């Protein structure tokens, strides 16, 4: 490919997105540059503090439990109070709780503050997802999801490598560094991001909003199917943060080794997310989701044969490709199943799948490794990937063609979605940003976003 072709591809990848999206993207990048607790909490507890793998799994599970508690509450807050105040409150409280965790000495105190960190850090996800849904047009959603995920992993690629060596010097420095950067994110949101919650319009729109509650989400069979499959996929991918460091630590690898191995994940996503997304965005999402589930399960399964850092890095390459494919494809599907006036609640339920997985994944990793050995854990991930692949195949068969979202341009929503989605605009500030960044488009789109992975 010529230099001109590369430049054209780069322009096409970033063109047309609203200004508010790029500030949200920048906030995501800064936040992930400071990621430390989620990546190194297990090693901090086992190698630095000398606790068992089971206790480390319990503490990290409490971190996940905090996310379970906050997911639905934050989703409701996002719809009722607004995206911006929910996001700012979550980030400011996360900064304080992360700093506090670094100073805890007693095991009970560590566990309690880890629960608090889980609650505060997870509370921002529904707000971020709903805000991106408000400001990005439907036809741009796959590209926007990919760019946001790219920012997450650009920050992760840098932070995981640097933080690995910071941890060898001082874990406290890592906690304080994350707290500082998270506080920067809160300031950035306050200064640059306007509220994007759609204004209440006519009586029909207000009635639709009133009808959407958590019960509506639970009765949406197709959407809950996506939530269930997201949970299985999350159990697999989270072993990169829980099972992999435990297994590598037990095998005699250092924190620096783990940092370098897991950095492969971030580096590959930084290099491949955009070109791969351009390749897959118009392809059959059913096949993409099935393939990504199998790659994830068996990619982690191959870790059973990882006797060296090089082999482990190769397995990371396999399940990273699964992430690159699964993330924008599944998030586009979530977008089409999330109604306008219930985005916070729907995104909160989607976030809940990741939060529950955060609760169970460390318990699973700690228990299986302590009782049976790491090989059984990697066999379990292969089985979960197979089940998820079959599940995606069955789920997508049951969706109408327009709802499957083959490609970026299918902006039709389903379930409880308001049919007049594209006619409802967000606040005046976001509308102005949309005009500045999207060539005069004044509607605030109907394309939600994901987690965050892990953000």
């Amino acid at each position: 490919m010529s230099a001109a072709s590369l430049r054209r591809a780069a322009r096409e990848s970033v063109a047309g997105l609203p200004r508010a999206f790029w500030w949200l993207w920048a906030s995501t990048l800064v936040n992930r540059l400071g990621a430390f607790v989620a990546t190194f909490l297990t090693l901090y507890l086992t190698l630095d503090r000398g606790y068992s793998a089971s206790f480390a799994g319990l503490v990290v599970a409490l971190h996940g439990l905090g996310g379970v508690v906050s997911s639905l509450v934050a989703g409701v807050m996002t719809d009722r109070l607004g995206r911006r105040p929910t996001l700012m409150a979550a980030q400011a409280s996360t900064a304080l709780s992360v700093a506090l965790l670094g100073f805890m000495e007693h095991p009970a105190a560590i566990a309690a503050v880890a629960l608090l960190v889980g609650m505060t850090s997870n509370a921002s996800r529904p707000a971020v997802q709903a805000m991106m849904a408000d400001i990005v047009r439907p036809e741009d959603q796959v590209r926007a999801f990919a760019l946001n995920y790219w920012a997450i992993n650009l920050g992760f690629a840098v932070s995981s490598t640097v933080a690995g060596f910071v941890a060898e010097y001082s874990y406290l420095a890592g906690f304080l560094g994350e707290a500082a950067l998270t506080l920067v994110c809160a300031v950035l949101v306050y200064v640059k991001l306007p509220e994007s919650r759609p204004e209440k319009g006519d009586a029909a729109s207000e009635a639709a909003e009133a009808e959407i509650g958590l019960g509506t989400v639970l009765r949406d069979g197709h959407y809950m199917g996506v939530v269930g499959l997201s949970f299985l996929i999350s159990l697999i991918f989270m072993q990169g943060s829980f099972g992999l460091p435990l297994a590598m630590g037990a095998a005699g690898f250092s924190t620096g080794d783990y940092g370098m191995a897991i950095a492969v994940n971030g580096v590959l996503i930084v290099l491949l997310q955009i070109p791969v997304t351009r390749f897959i965005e118009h392809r059959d999402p059913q096949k993409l989701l099935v393939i990504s589930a199998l790659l994830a399960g068996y990619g982690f399964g191959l870790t059973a044969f990882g006797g060296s850092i090089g082999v482990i890095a190769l397995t990371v390459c396999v399940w990273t490709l699964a992430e690159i494919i699964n993330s924008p494809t599944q998030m586009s599907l979530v977008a089409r199943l999330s109604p306008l006036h219930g985005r916070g609640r729907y995104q909160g339920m989607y976030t809940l799948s990741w939060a529950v997985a955060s609760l169970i994944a460390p318990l699973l990793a700690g228990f299986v490794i302590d009782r049976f050995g790491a090989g059984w854990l990697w066999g379990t991930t292969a089985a979960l990937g197979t089940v998820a692949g079959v599940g995606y195949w069955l789920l997508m068969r049951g969706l109408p063609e327009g709802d499957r979202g083959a490609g970026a341009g299918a902006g039709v929503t389903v379930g409880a979605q308001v049919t007049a989605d594209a006619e409802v605009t967000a606040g005046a500030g976001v509308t102005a940003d949309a005009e500045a960044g999207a060539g005069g488009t004044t509607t605030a789109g109907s394309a939600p976003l994901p987690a965050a992975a892990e953000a």
Side-chain angles (χ1 to χ4, degrees), residues 281-441:
E281 62 181 345
H282 298 296
R283 300 183 184 274
D284 184 0
Q286 182 187 47
K287 293 179 181 178
L288 295 174
L289 290 170
V290 170
I291 290 171
S292 66
L294 295 176
L295 284 174
Y298 288 96
F300 275 100
L302 290 172
T303 311
F305 305 101
S308 68
I309 190 68
V311 175
I312 292 175
L314 288 176
T315 66
V316 173
C317 292
V318 176
W319 55 261
T320 295
L321 180 59
E323 270 194 276
I324 291 172
I325 296 172
N326 182 271
S327 176
T329 307
Q330 178 166 267
M331 292 167 187
S332 178
L333 179 61
V334 168
R336 287 166 173 79
L337 297 174
S338 297
L340 176 66
H341 291 293
R343 280 174 178 160
R345 292 171 175 87
Y346 267 69
Q347 297 295 349
M349 186 65 69
Y350 178 65
T351 300
L352 183 65
S353 67
W354 287 84
V356 173
S358 295
L359 173 63
I360 295 177
L363 294 175
L364 175 68
F367 176 80
V368 173
I369 289 176
D370 278 350
R371 295 294 183 90
F372 306 106
W376 282 90
L377 177 65
W378 307 130
T380 301
T381 62
L384 290 173
T386 303
V387 173
V390 173
Y392 278 124
W393 181 71
L394 293 174
L395 175 72
M396 299 299 285
R397 286 183 64 193
L399 287 178
E401 187 66 30
D403 302 332
R404 290 172 57 166
V412 182
T413 53
V414 300
Q417 177 65 295
V418 179
T419 56
D421 223 2
E423 299 175 5
V424 181
T425 60
V430 174
T431 304
D433 279 345
E435 290 177 332
T441 300

Side-chain angles (χ1 to χ4, degrees), residues 95-433:
L96 294 175
S97 59
V98 166
L100 183 62
L101 181 60
F103 292 99
M104 293 298 98
E105 296 290 339
H106 193 279
I110 291 173
V113 178
L115 174 67
L116 180 62
V117 172
M119 292 178 63
T120 57
S121 62
N122 205 65
S124 63
R125 291 182 177 179
V128 170
Q129 294 161 15
M131 181 173 280
M132 192 165 293
D134 298 335
I135 62 181
V136 176
R137 298 177 303 179
E139 59 267 31
D140 293 329
Q141 62 182 257
V142 172
R143 184 160 52 96
F145 300 157
L147 285 168
N148 193 70
Y149 200 62
W150 184 77
I152 290 172
N153 287 277
L154 175 61
F156 181 71
V158 175
S159 67
S160 60
T161 303
V162 175
F165 294 102
V166 170
E168 293 182 347
Y169 168 73
S170 169
Y171 278 92
L172 178 59
F175 287 118
L176 295 179
E178 176 170 350
L181 286 174
T182 305
L183 195 58
V184 169
C185 290
V187 173
L188 187 62
V189 169
Y190 176 77
V191 173
K192 291 295 184 180
L193 283 175
E195 176 57 58
S196 67
R197 182 177 57 171
E199 296 177 347
K200 292 183 179 180
D202 55 26
S205 296
E206 293 185 15
E209 181 177 19
E211 292 172 0
I212 298 174
L214 292 177
T216 307
V217 187
L218 292 172
R219 291 190 296 270
D220 191 333
H222 285 147
Y223 189 81
M224 291 307 296
V226 175
V227 170
L229 292 171
S230 172
F231 168 73
L232 293 182
I233 289 294
S234 301
L235 279 180
I236 298 172
F237 284 132
M238 286 181 181
Q239 296 311 322
S241 297
F242 304 132
L244 186 58
L246 284 177
M248 291 184 68
F253 292 100
S254 69
T255 57
D257 291 332
Y258 170 68
M260 288 187 291
I262 201 65
V264 172
N265 170 256
V267 169
L268 284 180
I269 292 178
V270 169
L271 294 177
L272 299 180
Q273 182 71 70
I274 302 305
V276 170
T277 298
R278 289 174 60 83
F279 177 76
I280 68 174
E281 62 181 345
H282 298 296
R283 300 183 184 274
D284 184 0
Q286 182 187 47
K287 293 179 181 178
L288 295 174
L289 290 170
V290 170
I291 290 171
S292 66
L294 295 176
L295 284 174
Y298 288 96
F300 275 100
L302 290 172
T303 311
F305 305 101
S308 68
I309 190 68
V311 175
I312 292 175
L314 288 176
T315 66
V316 173
C317 292
V318 176
W319 55 261
T320 295
L321 180 59
E323 270 194 276
I324 291 172
I325 296 172
N326 182 271
S327 176
T329 307
Q330 178 166 267
M331 292 167 187
S332 178
L333 179 61
V334 168
R336 287 166 173 79
L337 297 174
S338 297
L340 176 66
H341 291 293
R343 280 174 178 160
R345 292 171 175 87
Y346 267 69
Q347 297 295 349
M349 186 65 69
Y350 178 65
T351 300
L352 183 65
S353 67
W354 287 84
V356 173
S358 295
L359 173 63
I360 295 177
L363 294 175
L364 175 68
F367 176 80
V368 173
I369 289 176
D370 278 350
R371 295 294 183 90
F372 306 106
W376 282 90
L377 177 65
W378 307 130
T380 301
T381 62
L384 290 173
T386 303
V387 173
V390 173
Y392 278 124
W393 181 71
L394 293 174
L395 175 72
M396 299 299 285
R397 286 183 64 193
L399 287 178
E401 187 66 30
D403 302 332
R404 290 172 57 166
V412 182
T413 53
V414 300
Q417 177 65 295
V418 179
T419 56
D421 223 2
E423 299 175 5
V424 181
T425 60
V430 174
T431 304
D433 279 345

